[in-house]
Amino acid sequence: DLHDDRLRVADVAADWLGSSPQNSAAQPSELPTRASLVGEPDADAGSCGGNGSRAPDADADCFVTGSKRERVALPHARYDCTEFLLHDHSSDAEARRHCEQCWCAVCQVSAVQCLDWDRHCRTSASQGEALAASARAAALHSRLRSVPRVASPPAAGSPAAALLLDYRWLQLRSDALRYLNNLGNDEDGLTATLVGVHEVTHDFAHRVISALRATNDIIEVDNKLHLRPGAVIGAPPPLLGPPGAPLHTWIVMPPPAAPADDAARALHQQDEVQARMTAAAQAQQQRQAYHTYFTSQARIEAQTLHAAVASSPVASAAAATAAVATATAWQNFYKQQMAAQARAMPQFTQLLVQSFMKHYARRHR
């Protein structure tokens, strides 16, 4: 019977908490758990009670048939109140009732201080979580906007400036920013993504992240990486190289053997013509993508810095002059990068030609 079982559970607790020497010397690892008091049978007594009068019975057990929420005098949202329960079918009068510890999930103040309690009293748990998430996002956005921008562009010849000229930069930047915007904010996860997707080393992935910091694309707050407000991901860059494998896969492959007979040489010449035409078209797409990227970055930097000075309540002539000088430095940096990328384009085109030739040679086998 349930009543006797409950009494035996109480007896077990009372016996164990007694003043016997063996119990008073019990170590923390020997303390019984709640489950051992309410759910584990006693082999000696045949039931939960250590001093029960029943005969031993291996099938005897105790079961928890229900529980009641204890009323704890702690601040809580209206939907968590245990004194005045809130249901979907609660009347307006019932919903407006609250205890002394009820808080408004919308205003984040006590219920008595809420100025619109008639509407806010019905806020559900899901609505409260959404409002809290929105408030956290707004606070984070405000913190991100307060982080100073990198004033000086990377020096010519620096690792960051050199990486911006790498033919993989646009794709690396796009994937990195999309990861931070949609998937997560941890640097380890971003590094692993770049390593796995682009088959680069961990050191190279860290260089990419450092370059993104240097170009005002990402910032770090509380050991997490975030997109800087105003950063533009842009459209995905054009895919480069032969179909079926990334460009760097074809680059590292050994060149095909020279053809031995006339027919093979003729086919080889046709493939070379096709490879040069395809490579030139892809190189032009890459050059246009870089031109768009450099131009938009220079415009973003100039607009952001001018807007920061114009909107500042303490803006002065000196501050405006410094902002213009910084914007000019960034614009000159991107112009120099654009010129350097144009100079490197013939070499990149030849790289594409060689990769397509390797592709055609393996396709004929």
Side-chain angles (χ1 to χ4, degrees), residues 182-247:
N182 300 308
L183 297 178
N185 301 101
D186 57 306
E187 185 170 347
D188 291 341
L190 176 57
T191 301
T193 298
L194 295 177
V195 170
V197 173
H198 295 275
E199 300 181 12
V200 298
T201 63
H202 281 79
D203 179 67
F204 190 88
H206 288 302
R207 286 175 53 199
V208 172
I209 296 174
S210 297
L212 291 171
R213 287 192 177 102
T215 54
N216 282 317
D217 279 319
I218 64 175
I219 51 180
E220 183 175 348
V221 173
D222 296 336
N223 297 321
K224 297 292 184 180
L225 298 177
H226 302 271
L227 288 182
R228 182 180 290 277
V232 178
I233 299 177
L239 296 177
L240 302 172
L247 176 58

Side-chain angles (χ1 to χ4, degrees), residues 173-174 177-178 231-237:
R173 176 183 181 273
S174 176
L177 298 189
R178 291 179 190 280
V232 178
I233 299 177

Side-chain angles (χ1 to χ4, degrees), residues 259-293:
D261 55 86
D262 294 340
R265 279 195 297 269
L267 183 60
H268 178 81
Q269 291 175 356
Q270 294 178 6
D271 289 344
E272 185 173 1
V273 171
Q274 183 65 33
R276 290 189 180 280
M277 293 175 58
T278 307
Q282 287 203 3
Q284 181 62 27
Q285 291 180 356
Q286 177 82 337
R287 183 173 183 174
Q288 181 60 40
Y290 262 99
H291 184 276
T292 302
Y293 164 68

Side-chain angles (χ1 to χ4, degrees), residues 134-193:
S134 178
R136 289 193 299 269
L140 176 60
H141 186 74
S142 177
R143 289 189 62 188
L144 295 179
R145 294 186 65 87
S146 66
V147 176
R149 298 171 62 83
V150 179
S152 301
S158 64
L163 190 55
L164 265 64
L165 299 177
D166 192 292
Y167 68 89
R168 296 167 290 182
W169 169 251
L170 293 181
Q171 191 67 55
L172 288 163
R173 176 183 181 273
S174 176
D175 290 344
L177 298 189
R178 291 179 190 280
Y179 175 89
L180 295 178
N181 192 48
N182 300 308
L183 297 178
N185 301 101
D186 57 306
E187 185 170 347
D188 291 341
L190 176 57
T191 301
T193 298

Side-chain angles (χ1 to χ4, degrees), residues 311-329:
S311 62
S312 175
V314 294
S316 61
T321 301
V324 171
T326 302
T328 303

